[in-house]
Amino acid sequence: MVSESHDKIAEIRDKVQAGTRLSLDEGLFLDSSAMPLNELGALANLVRERKNGNYAYYNINTHLNATNVCVYRCTFCAFRADLRDPKGYLMSDEQILARGQEAVDHGCTEMHIVGGLHHQMKYDWYVHCIRILHEAYPQLHLKAYTAVEIQWFAHMTGKSYREILTDLLEAGLGSMPGGGAEIFHPEVRDQICEHKADASRWIEVHRTAHQLGLRTNATMLYGHIEKSYHRIDHLLRLRALQDETGGFQTFIPLAFHPDNTGLEHLKKPTALDDLRTMAVARLMLDNFDHIKAYWIMLGIGTAQIALAYGADDLDGTVRHELIYHDAGAETPEVLSVEQLRRLIREAGREPVERDTLYHHVRREADHWEPGDPIEQASL
Ligand code: V47
């Protein structure tokens, strides 16, 4: 049994060294405790360094959640509110624009915009939010609306995904975040978010976005009721779409935080679970350039270690994050650029500021410009 496992590890190591794609069964093996975590990390690090050398990326960004009122009741979500819930809010144009000004004042290159599917707000309001921000602050890249929101807009208006995304592009949308993917497999999805866009719709929205030239991200929410098979199945569905379109930029594994959610009885995944999931993702998603260790949800220490377990990006300074902090995240509300750069250096990596589309950002005093696409040679 032990030697069988050794043979399998040696076989997988050979494949990774040769750059050969791993199968579903190999993914399940990597995800299980049969594969020692440090060996798994070393393999993921090989791929990470092959793709991104010693660089670790970060950006200067802020979040905007213009409303938390949501028609859906995903059991894992602590952020959402009912229409008449005292904690429900809806931001005015002035409040939204003030956030844009604050972002620009802090040198942000990106605003990450997602929120609830408000019972009373029409599609036009969601387009309007993008339009006013883009018109006032054209230098700010708007990474906005998950596939779940796009599906909701299509449902409300009867428009196709292509029409919705074309409207949003015209209003100033820059790219799409990876949220709403959760776990694609219906055995899990039907229990944690049964009403919202299913796997095929989530995938179809991203396929359409890629066809329109929009870059998007992908996520996976792990550490709740899902099993190993569901996680590997999820990664393989993303890998298949990436083979087809090449439109994904980065994958972000999202560790479940149980506080104030309908799944509060569950334990949070451990740091070991986090590192294993990160490494498995790096190894299975051979066609993704980047894997993000989102420091807000991993915690700073684990995010630093993750830079040696497959991750090459920490996300950003992240002002005004609510989704994780409502669910019990104990990380700070914001990190300064100096702190982020120091954390990356402490982890033995070289910090590189990127914009949303992974161009190297070149700054002079308070002015910045997107540089070349990030390639080893251009830094
Ligand atoms: O889709 C919600 C997750 C996602 C909880 O694209 C939770 O660059 C854990 O997608 N515990 C939204 N997770 C966040 C997201 C994201 C974050 C950072 C960067 C990017 C990017 C995308 O957060 C949701 C859901 O999967 N989530 N509640 C919770 N209690």
Side-chain angles (χ1 to χ4, degrees):
M1 194 66 185
V2 171
S3 90
E4 215 179 277
S5 170
H6 272 126
D7 290 352
K8 194 143 191 178
I9 293 174
E11 212 177 287
I12 292 178
R13 189 182 302 115
D14 288 348
K15 282 180 89 168
V16 172
Q17 276 165 351
T20 309
R21 178 162 276 192
L22 300 177
S23 67
L24 170 74
D25 279 349
E26 286 161 340
L28 291 171
F29 179 80
L30 295 176
D31 200 60
S32 75
S33 49
M35 179 79 181
L37 182 60
N38 56 346
E39 289 191 45
L40 177 66
L43 271 187
N45 194 46
L46 196 84
V47 179
R48 181 244 189 266
E49 292 190 353
R50 194 185 285 151
K51 286 182 183 277
N52 292 289
N54 199 36
Y55 299 126
Y57 309 108
Y58 66 93
N59 70 350
I60 305 187
N61 63 348
T62 186
H63 285 220
L64 174 76
N65 309 119
T67 181
N68 62 348
V69 173
C70 191
V71 295
Y72 289 147
R73 294 176 166 216
C74 302
T75 54
F76 56 80
C77 183
F79 166 70
R80 72 163 300 282
D82 286 332
L83 187 58
R84 295 185 210 301
D85 192 328
K87 87 163 195 157
Y89 71 84
L90 175 68
M91 289 169 76
S92 64
D93 285 5
E94 291 67 33
Q95 289 171 315
I96 290 171
L97 287 169
R99 285 294 186 78
Q101 186 61 51
E102 182 195 48
V104 168
D105 291 345
H106 283 95
C108 291
T109 58
E110 169 189 287
M111 188 178 257
H112 177 147
I113 308 172
V114 293
L117 310 175
H118 195 289
H119 308 57
Q120 294 171 340
M121 299 314 284
K122 303 265 185 311
Y123 168 58
D124 289 352
W125 177 72
Y126 289 89
V127 181
H128 170 79
C129 293
I130 300 297
R131 193 182 304 288
I132 58 172
L133 278 166
H134 182 63
E135 278 176 7
Y137 307 105
Q139 68 274 49
L140 209 51
H141 179 106
L142 305 179
K143 181 180 78 176
Y145 300 143
T146 67
V148 171
E149 287 156 297
I150 304 298
Q151 153 70 24
W152 176 248
F153 304 154
H155 170 76
M156 276 201 286
T157 58
K159 289 185 172 204
S160 66
Y161 299 152
R162 183 170 289 267
E163 288 168 325
I164 300 277
L165 289 167
T166 304
D167 289 347
L168 289 166
L169 264 167
E170 185 270 320
L173 180 72
S175 65
M176 282 172 60
E182 324 313 358
I183 286 284
F184 289 141
H185 201 290
E187 278 167 13
V188 176
R189 202 169 185 84
D190 290 352
Q191 291 187 60
I192 61 171
C193 53
E194 62 172 334
H195 298 297
K196 76 184 189 189
D198 63 10
S200 66
R201 291 190 172 99
W202 191 99
I203 295 272
E204 189 52 31
V205 170
H206 282 261
R207 177 182 285 117
T208 310
H210 298 168
Q211 286 166 352
L212 289 170
L214 274 167
R215 305 303 303 272
T216 74
N217 292 340
T219 59
M220 174 175 79
L221 178 67
Y222 67 91
H224 44 93
I225 60 166
E226 92 291 355
K227 301 275 180 287
S228 188
Y229 174 76
H230 304 122
R231 290 192 290 272
I232 303 300
D233 170 73
H234 189 95
L235 297 177
L236 294 191
R237 293 186 203 218
L238 292 173
R239 187 169 82 178
L241 182 62
Q242 182 73 332
D243 275 346
E244 195 187 310
T245 65
F248 286 122
Q249 302 203 102
T250 181
F251 173 75
I252 311 122
L254 296 170
F256 175 57
H257 279 50
D259 291 3
N260 310 315
T261 74
L263 298 172
E264 212 163 16
H265 58 284
L266 297 178
K267 280 209 185 85
K268 227 166 97 161
T270 64
L272 300 185
D273 298 331
D274 295 334
L275 294 175
R276 184 174 292 278
T277 309
M278 193 69 65
V280 170
R282 179 59 289 169
L283 290 165
M284 296 308 290
L285 296 177
D286 56 356
N287 51 6
F288 277 62
D289 287 342
H290 303 287
I291 304 283
K292 199 183 272 188
Y294 187 38
W295 64 265
I296 289 268
M297 62 87 180
L298 285 176
I300 288 167
T302 307
Q304 285 179 297
I305 301 170
L307 293 176
Y309 277 75
D312 57 274
D313 190 321
L314 284 189
D315 199 86
T317 45
V318 193
R319 206 167 281 277
H320 299 297
E321 199 287 329
L322 294 177
I323 296 176
Y324 275 86
H325 286 101
D326 283 358
E330 287 166 5
T331 41
E333 213 261 316
V334 60
L335 284 180
S336 67
V337 173
E338 295 67 36
Q339 283 171 315
L340 266 176
R341 293 180 71 87
R342 197 182 61 238
L343 294 172
I344 291 172
R345 287 222 169 85
E346 278 173 9
R349 301 295 188 188
E350 189 180 330
V352 174
E353 184 186 345
R354 63 160 176 89
D355 67 8
T356 311
L357 301 177
Y358 285 85
H359 292 86
H360 183 201
V361 172
R362 302 189 189 281
R363 286 185 186 266
E364 265 177 52
D366 56 359
H367 171 78
W368 65 271
E369 281 182 8
D372 301 327
I374 284 171
E375 285 162 19
Q376 305 292 325
S378 67
L379 291 174

